[in-house]
């Protein structure tokens, strides 16, 4: 169905759960960081979340609404963030994440459970970060970005899918969930784990100014900075990760066993 259909007809009968994964790919290297593209990034998240929230309000059968946002609302620092931290506005990406969650909010008296999964970098063979770095790492030309000391909040794609399913099916789950693996690693540590799985070196660091030139300063922060994020609430709820460490995730991706 189209967004127009959703606006005019509402959700189809029988829908009991809604998951929002929409959004323009921010790190599309083929798209320059122009005002128009920036607006597309914003509208594709805020408008879609708002439209789904309104449709759910008009529907009586939806029991769970899972909105997937990001961890950019946690400002890089020495602090380890958990779901008890609400985040703050400090740049474009953080403002986007905060407004994204606000747009998805249902009325407090809603009968529908709401969950906001704050996702880290998603690791999988089908695209995303791995698709971007696969060739240079395979050629032995891979390495960390900038100093490599910045934290890299991440999650394997299967664990993200399982976490979304867990949130939909478990009536005790509501509010924010940090969609990240329990192991906190730096960009350099992750690069070494991936290179090791490929049996390649990881010595060619990408200078930060190159990333800034390629993506623009406002979005390059997704690669050059990062926060330390723990999935405390996720673990307390009893969710079990299939790939809790970068080594396990990278090995599965390289060996094509992550299916």
């Amino acid at each position: 169905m189209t967004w127009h259909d959703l606006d005019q007809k509402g959700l189809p009968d029988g829908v009991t759960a809604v998951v929002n994964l929409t959004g323009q790919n921010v790190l599309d290297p083929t798209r320059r960081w122009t005002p128009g593209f920036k607006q597309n990034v914003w509208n594709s998240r805020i408008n879609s979340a708002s439209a789904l929230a309104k449709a759910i309000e008009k529907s009586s059968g939806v029991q769970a609404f899972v909105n997937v946002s990001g961890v950019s609302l946690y400002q890089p620092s020495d602090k380890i963030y958990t779901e008890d931290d609400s985040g703050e506005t400090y740049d474009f990406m953080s403002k986007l994440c905060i407004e994204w969650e606000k747009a998805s909010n249902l009325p407090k008296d809603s009968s529908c459970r709401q969950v906001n999964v704050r996702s880290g970098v998603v690791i999988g063979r089908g695209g995303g970060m791995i698709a971007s770095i696969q060739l240079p790492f395979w050629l032995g030309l891979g390495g960390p970005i900038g100093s490599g000391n910045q934290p890299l909040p991440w999650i394997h794609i299967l664990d993200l899918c399982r976490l979304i399913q867990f949130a939909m099916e478990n009536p005790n789950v509501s509010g924010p969930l940090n969609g990240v693996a329990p192991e906190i690693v730096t960009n350099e540590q992750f690069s070494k784990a991936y290179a090791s799985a490929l049996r390649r070196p990881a010595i060619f660091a990408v200078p930060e100014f190159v990333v800034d030139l390629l993506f623009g300063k406002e979005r390059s922060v997704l690669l050059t900075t990062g926060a330390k994020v723990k999935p405390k609430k996720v673990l307390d709820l009893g969710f079990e990760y299939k790939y809790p460490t970068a080594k396990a995730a990278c090995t599965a991706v390289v060996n094509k066993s992550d299916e």
Side-chain angles (χ1 to χ4, degrees):
M1 64 187 299
T2 66
W3 290 108
H4 179 73
D5 292 334
L6 180 70
D7 180 56
Q8 297 298 311
K9 304 175 183 177
L11 292 166
D13 293 337
V15 172
T16 58
V18 175
V19 179
N20 181 23
L21 287 158
T22 58
Q24 171 77 48
N25 179 10
V26 179
L27 290 175
D28 183 347
T30 67
R31 301 293 301 273
R32 292 177 57 246
W33 191 242
T34 62
F37 181 69
K38 186 175 174 179
Q39 193 64 51
N40 286 343
V41 168
W42 184 274
N43 291 345
S44 64
R45 287 161 174 76
I46 308 301
N47 294 354
S48 62
S50 177
L52 287 169
K54 290 176 181 176
I56 290 171
E57 285 182 49
K58 297 176 182 178
S59 174
S60 59
V62 182
Q63 301 169 19
F65 178 30
V66 182
N67 182 66
V68 180
S69 59
V71 294
S72 292
L73 47 72
Y74 298 130
Q75 186 167 14
S77 69
D78 291 331
K79 176 184 174 68
I80 296 179
Y81 294 93
T82 71
E83 291 89 346
D84 294 329
D85 297 292
S86 58
E88 59 183 306
T89 297
Y90 59 92
D91 64 2
F92 174 81
M93 293 301 171
S94 61
K95 183 179 181 181
L96 174 61
C97 285
I98 288 175
E99 294 302 319
W100 194 353
E101 291 192 2
K102 283 183 181 178
S104 72
N105 282 345
L106 300 173
K108 291 184 179 180
D109 60 352
S110 175
S111 60
C112 177
R113 268 189 313 109
Q114 180 159 11
V115 182
N116 277 311
V117 177
R118 297 166 176 171
S119 173
V121 174
V122 181
I123 304 303
R125 288 184 294 110
M129 177 179 174
I130 293 298
S132 300
I133 67 175
Q134 186 173 17
L135 182 59
F137 270 79
W138 178 254
L139 295 174
L141 301 175
I145 293 174
S147 69
N149 294 326
Q150 66 274 27
L152 178 68
W154 66 278
I155 187 170
H156 191 283
I157 190 169
L158 289 189
D159 279 331
L160 179 59
C161 292
R162 291 172 60 248
L163 182 59
I164 292 170
Q165 183 178 359
F166 179 81
M168 283 194 294
E169 297 178 348
N170 190 330
N172 298 319
V173 179
S174 63
L177 295 179
N178 286 338
V180 297
E183 182 185 50
I184 296 177
V185 296
T186 64
N187 184 281
E188 181 179 25
Q189 289 169 332
F190 186 89
S191 297
K192 288 182 176 179
Y194 184 56
S196 177
L198 285 170
R199 298 181 181 178
R200 298 290 193 276
I203 56 176
F204 293 94
V206 181
E208 188 171 321
F209 78 89
V210 173
V211 182
D212 288 345
L213 286 173
L214 181 61
F215 292 106
K217 189 71 175 178
E218 277 189 320
R219 61 172 170 169
S220 69
V221 294
L222 293 172
L223 300 172
T224 59
T225 68
K228 298 176 182 178
V229 185
K230 273 284 190 182
K232 179 180 181 297
K233 184 177 175 182
V234 174
L235 294 171
D236 288 346
L237 287 166
F239 180 79
E240 295 182 2
Y241 288 82
K242 186 173 182 181
Y243 301 107
T245 67
K247 179 180 179 181
C250 291
T251 299
V253 168
V254 170
N255 294 338
K256 301 181 179 180
S257 59
D258 57 333
E259 299 179 342

